[in-house]
């Protein structure tokens, strides 16, 4: 089954099969040791740069900043949802720890 | 690899989008195939329609482009009537009510809560009255800006209006220029006050004199590559070209063709011409323009009048276009303050009545989100100034009202991080009541943008505010980065971001403390910009001092996670969208 993944409105949100699923301004708790000195960066999403699917995981590359220390940048690929039978399944991004991962996208 | 947006544009783009738009309007929102929504919403932008943010599906923002902010007699009334009839939805704004129009920093008009099904009727009414939404959005020539009183302003050195009109007629809907790598923002100014704000546009034409065949001739110097978005602000750069008014379309068209051919289409973040100017430098840009895009010898730059620029410059002289000013024909134009650019539909109609009674019925929009009533003869001036409506839309407001600019923010915009317009109104009211400006300071500009796209032009204000988040007592709250000392003028300057992530309820206190410190430590009668220039970032950060005060912010928490921040049940699950043409929610069956 094919899935359409896009970043739209100048990086405002991620579209999965023509529905808005992930949006800027979300606040994520990251596990991203290389991003800043914080244990688990408290990260505001300011811009979505890219989205990809790797197996059943949908990952996004986003620009943003850690509001604890002020570090800005792109932490890497971050899992933002899952695919099952070509459908998007949300994960509770604002209440879980999202670990930056190595992926097949780049 | 070309992006999806590029691919969609190559399939259906430009004027042909209209027939599809009308077909969907006829058949209703649900007739847009689910797997084509992204493509159609992207294309609709070409006709001025932006799908509103998450939670507001099936509602659109409509942008009406008014070149140079110029509304001909009767058009302001049409805007008010369209807003009153169509720009209403399920959400009521606690300050502005149910139907309103926004006047924007690019001299356009934005209406919200527009239903697709109403678009044909709206277009018919707009177009019957000479107004249009075409191409106000998308990767093309945007609404051309300038001093909205071009042709009439008594201070003018060259009439920019015929040039703007010709550029607009030549390049709007022009297939050779309607598919650019990115938006193309143009400013053409003929007054010596800098009120066209050319420095922050992709292309700026600014008044300048040149010896041509022994005659001192007035025309325009050309600057290229300004823009504020994305933490990458640039001022337009001098490419050492002077152009006569009659040759302006050839040079402007040459530059947009150059951008079309050489701009970066692979990466939208790197697409604006400001990055090409970074890469090439102004000399190469000039050379390629000369060799490949114009067929006459370009003149070198003429003698400009930048040393007379006062607009949004923070010093003496005309910092905005409010108040009463002379026109060439002996009558007057009167600039009225529209706080954060938003005006209730009934007020728009009432102002249209006043414009007809006291002026010619025409109106103008400024880049500081204000409105101008032109053509008021001396003998009618006092009566006009005494009208009740002008108590609210004042020609001489408090500096904090006058200096306020705010973008759309979380109310409707998908890029936003914080609430903006209503917040800026609350800030301005609190500052007016609680804070005095130092002696002799009667201009103080505070611009609030909900994200780094910078629609409110925050980097060119005395105090720049930009949406962020922080934690306060462990809870996530809306916050603002604070920048200081920006402005235009002969030597424009971007604000320096000195204090990050101030919780929104501490921002008015921060501004109050900053102003008190400025008053204390000011040397002689230096301006705020000069004061900022004399300090380094750390010193400035100390002067800001965020603090809770009597200011109360009811919108601290995550307004983006609501379907509408001001709704009683504001949760995304409580959203009435998408809805049918009559507003009945469409319930999905999954
Ligand atoms: C539905 C609401 C809006 C959306 C989705 C939107 C979209 C955008 C986007 C995506 C950008 C960034 C462009 C870039 O990266 O170059 C931008 C920038 C900008 N927009 Fe908007 N906008 C909205 C409302 C407004 C309003 C209310 C204004 C006021 C006139 C405005 C005028 C501008 C300006 C002046 C910029 C800065 C561009 C620059 O100088 O580089 N937009 N907008
Ligand atoms: S600055 Fe950001 S939040 Fe404000 S209107 Fe522009 S895109 Fe939206
Ligand atoms: Zn950190």
């Amino acid at each position: 089954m094919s899935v359409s993944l896009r970043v739209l409105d100048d990086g405002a949100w991620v579209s999965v099969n023509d529905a808005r699923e992930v949006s800027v301004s979300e606040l994520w708790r990251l596990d991203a040791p290389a991003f800043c000195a914080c244990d688990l960066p408290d990260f505001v999403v300011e811009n979505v740069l890219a989205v990809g699917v790797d197996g059943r995981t949908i990952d996004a590359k986003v620009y943003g900043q850690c509001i604890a220390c002020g570090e800005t940048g792109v932490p890497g690929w971050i899992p933002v949802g899952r695919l099952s039978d070509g459908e998007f399944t949300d994960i509770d991004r604002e209440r879980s720890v999202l670990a930056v991962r190595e992926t097949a996208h780049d | 690899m070309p992006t999806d947006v590029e691919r969609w544009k190559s399939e259906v783009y430009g004027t042909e989008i209209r027939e599809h738009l009308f077909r969907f309007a006829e058949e209703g929102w649900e007739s847009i195939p689910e797997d084509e929504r992204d493509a159609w919403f992207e294309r609709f932008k070409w006709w001025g329609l932006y799908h509103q943010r998450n939670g507001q599906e099936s509602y659109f923002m409509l942008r009406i482009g008014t070149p140079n902010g110029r509304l001909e007699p009767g058009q302001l009334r049409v805007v008010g009537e369209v807003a009153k009839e169509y720009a209403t939805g399920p959400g009521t704004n606690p300050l502005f009510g149910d139907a309103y129009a926004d006047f924007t920093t690019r001299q356009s008009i934005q209406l919200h809560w527009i239903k697709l099904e109403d678009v044909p009727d709206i277009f018919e009414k707009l177009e019957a009255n000479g107004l249009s939404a075409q191409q106000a959005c998308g990767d093309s020539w945007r609404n051309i800006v300038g001093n909205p009183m071009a042709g009439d302003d008594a201070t003018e050195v060259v009439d920019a209006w015929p040039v703007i009109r010709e550029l607009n007629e030549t390049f709007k809907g022009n297939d050779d220029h309607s598919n650019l790598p990115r938006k193309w923002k143009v400013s053409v100014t003929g007054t010596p006050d800098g009120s066209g704000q050319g420095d922050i546009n992709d292309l700026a034409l600014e008044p300048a004199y040149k010896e041509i065949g022994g005659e001192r001739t007035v025309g325009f110097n050309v600057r290229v590559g300004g823009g504020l978005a994305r933490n990458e602000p640039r001022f337009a750069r001098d490419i050492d070209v002077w152009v006569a008014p009659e040759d302006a379309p050839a040079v402007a068209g040459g530059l947009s063709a150059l951008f079309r051919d050489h701009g970066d289409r692979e990466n939208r973040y790197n697409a604006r011409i400001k990055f090409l100017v970074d890469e090439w430098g102004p000399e190469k840009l000039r050379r390629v323009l000369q060799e490949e895009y114009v067929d006459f010898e370009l003149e070198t730059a003429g003698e400009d009048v930048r040393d007379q620029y006062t607009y949004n410059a923070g010093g003496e002289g005309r910092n905005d276009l409010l108040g009463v000013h002379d026109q060439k024909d002996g009558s007057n134009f009167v600039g009225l303050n529209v706080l954060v650019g938003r005006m209730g539909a009934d007020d728009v109609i009432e102002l249209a009545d006043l414009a007809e009674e006291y002026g010619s019925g025409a109106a103008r929009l400024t880049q500081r989100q204000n409105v101008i009533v032109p053509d008021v003869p001396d003998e009618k001036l006092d009566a006009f100034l005494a009208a009740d409506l002008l108590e609210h839309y004042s020609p001489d407001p408090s500096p904090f009202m006058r200096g306020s600019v705010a973008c759309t923010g979380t109310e409707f915009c998908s890029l936003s991080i914080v609430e903006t317009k209503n917040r800026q109104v609350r800030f301005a009211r609190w500052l007016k009541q609680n804070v005095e400006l130092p002696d002799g300071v009667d201009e103080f500009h505070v611009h609030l943008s909900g994200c780094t796209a910078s629609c409110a032009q925050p980097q060119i204000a005395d105090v720049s505010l930009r949406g962020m988040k922080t934690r306060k007592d462990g809870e996530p709250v809306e916050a603002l980065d604070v920048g200081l000392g920006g402005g235009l003028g002969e030597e424009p300057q971007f604000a320096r971001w000195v204090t990050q992530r101030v919780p929104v309820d501490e921002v008015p206190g921060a501004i109050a403390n900053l102003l008190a410190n400025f008053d204390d430590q000011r040397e002689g009668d230096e301006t705020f910009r000069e004061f900022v220039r004399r300090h380094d970032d750390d010193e400035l950060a100390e002067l800001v001092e965020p603090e809770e005060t009597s200011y109360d912010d009811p919108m601290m928490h995550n307004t983006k996670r609501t379907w509408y921040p001001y709704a009683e049940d504001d949760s995304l699950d409580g959203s009435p969208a998408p809805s049918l043409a009559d507003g009945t929610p469409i319930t999905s069956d999954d």
Side-chain angles (χ1 to χ4, degrees):
Chain A
M1 194 169 291
S2 89
V3 53
S4 79
L5 290 176
R6 302 183 183 107
V7 177
L8 287 169
D9 283 356
D10 291 294
W13 45 282
V14 174
S15 162
V16 185
N17 294 331
D18 289 68
R20 295 189 266 208
E21 300 294 358
V22 181
S23 169
V24 299
S25 96
E26 289 185 10
L27 190 56
W28 296 344
R29 190 63 80 171
L30 298 183
D31 178 355
F35 183 69
C36 64
C38 299
D39 231 7
L40 296 173
D42 206 359
F43 183 87
V44 179
V45 183
E46 291 185 77
N47 241 280
V48 187
L49 305 176
V51 59
V53 58
D54 179 18
R56 295 185 49 206
T57 306
I58 293 178
D59 305 290
K61 209 177 210 181
V62 301
Y63 173 91
Q65 79 174 260
C66 171
I67 60 171
C69 71
E71 184 62 57
T72 61
V74 181
W77 289 100
I78 297 165
V80 294
R82 302 186 59 74
L83 267 190
S84 49
D85 297 329
E87 299 275 325
F88 181 81
T89 324
D90 227 351
I91 51 181
D92 189 351
R93 289 178 299 279
E94 295 203 299
R95 260 179 287 257
S96 37
V97 174
L98 307 176
V100 168
R101 3 181 269 141
E102 296 285 311
T103 69
H105 314 307
D106 50 13
Chain B
M1 196 183 66
T3 60
D4 276 343
V5 174
E6 288 293 327
R7 187 166 53 78
W8 295 331
K9 287 199 298 193
S10 68
E11 289 164 6
V12 188
Y13 208 61
T15 40
E16 60 182 319
I17 294 166
R18 184 184 174 106
E19 52 197 84
H20 296 276
L21 177 60
F22 278 40
R23 174 169 54 86
F24 291 130
E26 174 89 7
E27 294 171 10
W29 156 261
E30 287 183 291
S31 67
I32 306 174
E34 267 181 51
D35 61 352
E36 294 178 14
R37 287 189 179 167
D38 288 352
W40 286 113
F41 297 157
E42 195 61 39
R43 292 178 181 129
F44 289 172
K45 291 178 185 173
W46 207 86
W47 280 98
L49 289 159
Y50 260 93
H51 199 203
Q52 287 181 191
R53 73 162 167 90
N54 204 15
Q56 303 171 356
E57 285 75 13
S58 81
Y59 291 97
F60 291 82
M61 179 270 274
L62 175 69
R63 188 179 288 161
I64 303 166
T66 40
N68 209 31
R70 192 176 168 106
L71 288 160
E72 303 300 344
Q75 291 182 337
L76 185 65
R77 175 180 311 285
V78 172
V79 169
E81 287 173 358
V82 169
K84 191 174 164 87
E85 185 168 356
Y86 300 104
T88 58
T92 297
N93 185 297
L95 294 175
F96 298 99
D98 271 323
Y100 39 83
D102 286 354
F103 304 142
T104 78
T105 51
R106 298 202 83 258
Q107 295 169 275
S108 294
I109 298 159
Q110 295 187 173
L111 306 180
H112 293 93
W113 297 122
I114 299 297
K115 298 261 26 168
L116 190 58
E117 292 84 352
D118 290 329
V119 166
D121 289 345
I122 294 172
F123 280 15
E124 189 183 334
K125 176 151 183 166
L126 292 176
E127 288 163 8
N129 290 281
L131 289 165
S132 156
Q134 189 198 333
Q135 220 175 322
C137 298
D139 294 333
S140 54
W141 277 66
R142 296 304 186 88
N143 197 45
I144 300 170
V145 299
N147 174 330
M149 291 307 300
D152 298 313
D153 189 327
T155 68
E156 180 169 276
V157 295
V158 51
D159 184 356
W161 175 240
V163 176
I164 292 172
R165 193 174 47 202
E166 190 175 351
L167 292 176
N168 186 57
E169 281 163 11
T170 310
F171 296 108
K172 201 161 137 172
N174 178 327
D175 287 343
D176 287 339
H177 300 264
S178 66
N179 186 358
L180 303 176
R182 203 70 175 74
K183 58 177 81 164
W184 180 250
K185 295 182 169 176
V186 177
S187 165
V188 185
T189 315
T191 45
D193 60 351
S195 56
Q197 302 202 130
D199 283 332
I200 57 167
N201 284 266
D202 294 292
L203 168 62
L205 301 185
E206 310 186 295
Y209 296 93
K210 182 84 184 169
E211 284 277 314
I212 301 290
E215 293 245 350
R216 187 170 142 95
T217 312
V218 64
F220 304 96
N221 277 353
V222 181
R223 291 187 178 228
V224 181
L228 300 177
R230 304 279 173 216
N231 291 321
E232 294 277 1
R234 298 284 187 285
F235 290 119
R237 276 138 294 170
D238 182 355
I239 64 162
D240 192 24
V241 171
W242 178 91
V243 62
E246 61 275 18
D247 293 330
V251 169
L255 282 162
S256 89
L258 180 155
F259 176 51
R260 177 194 63 210
D261 300 341
H262 295 281
D264 185 349
R265 285 182 189 267
E266 305 287 309
N267 176 0
R268 289 183 64 76
Y269 297 99
N270 196 40
R272 291 284 291 275
I273 199 170
K274 65 188 175 187
F275 298 111
L276 189 66
V277 182
D278 289 359
E279 194 188 319
W280 283 10
E283 297 80 17
K284 176 172 175 188
L285 194 90
R286 186 187 202 284
R287 178 161 44 81
V288 176
L289 173 68
Q290 175 71 76
E291 287 168 4
E292 296 174 32
Y293 294 96
V294 289
D295 53 14
F296 55 89
E297 189 73 20
L298 293 169
E299 299 287 346
T300 57
E303 178 199 331
D304 65 36
V305 295
R306 291 179 66 92
D307 62 346
Q308 298 176 49
Y309 283 13
T310 55
Y311 194 84
N312 195 24
E316 299 284 297
R318 210 158 84 167
N319 269 273
D320 55 36
L321 298 173
L322 296 189
V324 180
H325 303 270
D326 293 337
Q327 290 186 199
K328 285 179 185 167
D329 65 1
S331 67
N332 306 278
F333 69 88
V334 184
L336 304 177
N337 184 232
V338 182
L339 188 52
V340 303
R342 180 167 288 179
M343 197 168 195
D346 288 323
D347 291 349
V348 175
I349 294 168
E350 196 177 329
L351 185 63
D353 290 339
L354 293 177
E356 262 159 41
E357 190 177 343
Y358 298 100
S360 58
R364 304 280 188 265
L365 307 176
T366 81
Q367 292 187 54
R368 299 195 53 77
Q369 302 181 319
N370 296 316
V371 65
I372 292 171
V373 174
D375 309 323
V376 182
D378 286 346
E379 62 276 15
K380 289 188 176 176
L381 197 53
D382 288 342
F384 176 56
L385 294 173
D388 287 347
L389 192 71
L390 272 59
E391 274 169 37
H392 194 67
Y393 302 98
S394 171
D396 184 23
S398 137
F400 293 114
M401 302 284 168
R402 177 172 204 145
S404 287
V405 171
C407 75
T408 303
T410 51
E411 188 176 14
F412 301 113
C413 173
S414 24
L415 271 158
S416 60
I417 301 181
V418 300
E419 188 221 24
T420 50
K421 278 196 194 289
N422 287 30
R423 173 166 286 138
Q424 180 70 25
V425 172
R426 297 191 299 268
F427 283 179
R429 288 180 178 165
W430 188 89
L431 290 167
K432 181 180 166 183
Q433 266 175 11
N434 294 283
V435 178
E436 291 281 327
L437 284 173
D439 272 350
V441 177
D442 39 32
E443 294 280 346
F444 195 70
H445 292 180
V446 179
H447 295 190
L448 169 56
S449 248
C451 80
T452 57
S454 305
C455 302
Q457 307 172 343
Q459 300 93 331
I460 52 165
D462 294 304
V463 171
S464 319
L465 303 173
R466 184 173 68 190
M468 244 302 130
K469 290 194 174 183
T470 192
R471 276 183 200 275
K472 185 160 175 158
D473 310 322
E475 289 299 311
V477 296
E478 296 197 348
L480 296 168
D481 289 344
V482 179
L484 300 179
L488 296 178
E490 183 178 13
E491 295 297 336
Q493 197 173 316
F494 293 124
R496 284 143 60 195
W497 297 103
V498 299
T499 305
Q500 262 80 38
R501 299 181 302 280
V502 178
V504 285
D505 60 335
E506 299 176 25
V507 169
I511 296 174
N513 291 334
L514 171 69
L515 281 168
N517 289 328
F518 169 46
D519 200 9
D520 261 9
Q521 300 176 29
R522 188 179 181 204
E523 287 178 359
D525 56 1
E526 72 183 338
T527 66
F528 185 72
R529 263 177 82 180
E530 289 162 346
F531 175 79
V532 170
R533 200 174 309 139
R534 172 159 81 69
H535 292 85
D536 68 28
D537 288 8
D538 291 338
E539 291 166 339
L540 291 171
E542 299 224 337
L543 300 177
V544 173
E545 300 182 90
E547 186 183 3
E548 284 181 15
T549 56
S550 61
Y551 172 82
D552 184 41
D553 200 306
M555 293 285 144
M556 292 278 284
H557 302 286
N558 236 339
T559 53
K560 192 71 171 289
R561 300 290 285 173
T562 66
W563 73 269
Y564 188 64
Y566 316 110
E568 201 148 321
D569 173 7
D570 66 2
S571 68
L572 275 166
D573 290 339
S575 168
S579 69
L580 299 174
D582 65 1
T584 317
I586 298 168
T587 45
S588 68
D589 30 82
D590 56 34

